[in-house]
Amino acid sequence: MKIKTIDLVQIALFAAIIAILSQISIPTPFGVPISLQTFAAALCGYFLGAKKGAAALLVWIAIGAVGVPVFTGFRGGFAVLLGLTGGFIYGFIPLVLLCGVELKHKPLRIALGAAGILACHLCGAVQYALLMGIDLLQSALTVSVPFLIKDMASIAAAYFAAIAIKAAAKRFSASN
């Protein structure tokens, strides 16, 4: 499979966008910050599609895993992936894949994004429960349920932002 230069540039750009938006965060007392990572991951999927979006996300995860401080709070390293927030980081993979599904009826893409949010929150709540030694319900009530509305709004915002960015890019390329 031949990869185009534009694809590599887009993958690298979106890995950087995820890293930057990850730093816009608010710490919480239970160790899982409120951040713009969800918006960034969804935007990545909606703009790039499932394959390139997943590639960008995996580049971000790999860079973070080797110690580059691209996760929230300027953290990096494999320990982050094994820590309290690691499940959410892994959970961004189904989020990006579901946001990236191309459908003829475009508004259904928001519904797929919502399913991706649920998958992301499940991954995050499971890992949090295991590490904290609590049951899944208690974990979900702590690190998931309070943030579902914010994350669902992030999905919708990312969808409409991707549409606007694609339209602007199309106008720009047509004028050059």
Side-chain angles (χ1 to χ4, degrees):
M1 178 175 125
K2 188 173 181 177
I3 299 175
K4 297 178 187 174
T5 303
I6 188 70
D7 294 336
L8 291 174
V9 169
Q10 288 177 337
I11 289 166
L13 176 65
F14 273 87
I17 288 170
I18 297 168
I20 292 166
L21 292 180
S22 294
Q23 304 319 315
I24 301 171
S25 66
I26 301 168
T28 64
F30 47 85
V32 178
I34 300 165
S35 75
L36 290 181
Q37 285 178 318
T38 305
F39 171 81
L43 180 64
C44 186
Y46 285 133
F47 187 84
L48 294 178
K51 288 180 184 176
K52 289 192 299 183
L57 186 77
L58 291 172
V59 165
W60 170 70
I61 291 172
I63 289 170
V66 298
V68 178
V70 296
F71 301 134
T72 57
F74 293 100
R75 294 178 307 139
F78 198 68
V80 176
L81 298 174
L82 298 175
L84 295 177
T85 60
F88 290 99
I89 293 170
Y90 301 129
F92 291 137
I93 297 169
L95 173 61
V96 168
L97 290 171
L98 288 169
C99 288
V101 172
E102 292 293 328
L103 297 172
K104 290 185 189 265
H105 190 61
K106 303 240 184 243
L108 286 177
R109 292 183 75 193
I110 295 176
L112 282 177
I117 285 294
L118 295 176
C120 179
H121 277 246
L122 178 62
C123 292
V126 166
Q127 185 158 329
Y128 189 87
L130 291 171
L131 292 173
M132 295 300 289
I134 59 176
D135 64 56
L136 185 56
L137 178 60
Q138 185 180 358
S139 176
L141 291 173
T142 303
V143 298
S144 175
V145 173
F147 308 103
L148 282 174
I149 293 173
K150 186 257 328 159
D151 285 347
M152 293 298 180
S154 293
I155 292 300
Y159 174 74
F160 291 111
I163 289 172
I165 294 166
K166 283 182 181 184
K170 193 173 189 176
R171 284 191 306 274
F172 178 77
S173 66
S175 68
N176 288 329

